[in-house]
Amino acid sequence: MCLQVSSFQADESYTPSRISVRAGTHYHDLSEVASHQLREPAGWVLINLQPDEGRPLHTFLLQLAVLANHQNGRDTHIRQVVVLSPRVEDGEWLQGTLR
């Protein structure tokens, strides 16, 4: 997952400093799959969501939670979120290779 966070120099207290990414099939079974600490970010921030087994993460719902901001800010600015996944051929879903 890629996050577009503007420059820390421009936004200061609006810039997130700690982010949690949670995944699941619906809102009630979300579990944290990644946590990321940001130190004065500028531009794109990459967060790897691939589990240790090497297979892609299979989920229906992603939740991005901003846990803290720089300078104890109350609001946050995230300009854009991009979620990228590997390309899957037509028959792979039926063969059960992605679980």
Side-chain angles (χ1 to χ4, degrees):
M1 176 165 47
C2 303
L3 302 176
Q4 171 71 38
V5 182
S6 66
S7 169
F8 172 75
Q9 277 69 22
D11 282 344
E12 294 181 353
S13 67
Y14 292 102
T15 306
S17 63
R18 200 169 68 218
I19 293 176
S20 170
V21 181
R22 301 167 186 151
T25 56
H26 55 84
Y27 182 75
H28 297 290
D29 75 343
L30 292 175
S31 61
E32 186 174 272
V33 293
S35 176
H36 201 71
Q37 190 79 18
L38 303 170
R39 290 182 177 79
E40 299 186 7
W44 288 97
V45 176
L46 299 176
I47 299 176
N48 186 7
L49 299 181
Q50 190 170 8
D52 294 334
E53 299 89 39
R55 295 185 317 207
L57 177 67
H58 186 93
T59 186
F60 290 101
L61 177 67
L62 279 176
Q63 181 185 65
L64 178 65
V66 177
L67 303 177
N69 287 331
H70 284 84
Q71 301 174 353
N72 295 324
R74 295 177 59 191
D75 296 329
T76 192
H77 286 177
I78 295 178
R79 306 289 183 207
Q80 187 174 5
V81 176
V82 177
V83 179
L84 304 171
S85 68
R87 186 178 181 136
V88 177
E89 300 300 326
D90 290 335
E92 286 189 61
W93 291 104
L94 299 175
Q95 295 172 4
T97 57
L98 297 177
R99 296 177 194 193

